[in-house]
Amino acid sequence: MAMQAAKAICAMAMVLASVPAAGTDASFTVRAVVPVYCEVQHRGAGSVALQGQSISLGNFREYCNSPGGYSLVVRYAPGTLQGTVLSAGFDQVVLDGSGEAVLSREIRPRFRHRTVIATPGERGFDTDRIGFDLLPANPAG
């Protein structure tokens, strides 16, 4: 009886081995849609760090997967911070009091960490509100 069972298992194995593997001639396409996501996170300096006339505003983590890149925009109270220079790495902007300025632009998706430094203008820091946003580039533009 055991011998017949062994022969039956061997015969089944040979039949299964002779059948071509499923899907060898088949193909399929996978399509994924990933939404655009941009985020800037701020980690404060813990204390105001003076570097001569400049002040560290802390470290920023930028992440944006927009294929066309993005802009790092600073927003502040209109009529304030005139003449203040903001720097992040090699990028810098002089604030004109309009309430909004582009600190940097990227032409591709990117992930990076940067320290933002502010050098006050003649009136110093005359607002307690300043914010940063990452805006994806317009794919058509």
Side-chain angles (χ1 to χ4, degrees), residues 49-55:
L50 296 175
Q51 300 168 345
Q53 292 285 328
S54 299
I55 300 169

Side-chain angles (χ1 to χ4, degrees), residues 112-126:
R112 67 180 170 176
H113 294 269
R114 299 196 287 175
T115 299
V116 176
I117 305 290
T119 305
E122 287 183 20
R123 298 191 315 189
F125 288 107
D126 52 355

Side-chain angles (χ1 to χ4, degrees), residues 64-84:
C64 189
N65 68 352
S66 173
Y70 63 91
S71 296
L72 176 60
V73 177
V74 58
R75 293 192 169 97
Y76 56 97
T80 64
L81 298 176
Q82 287 181 317
T84 297

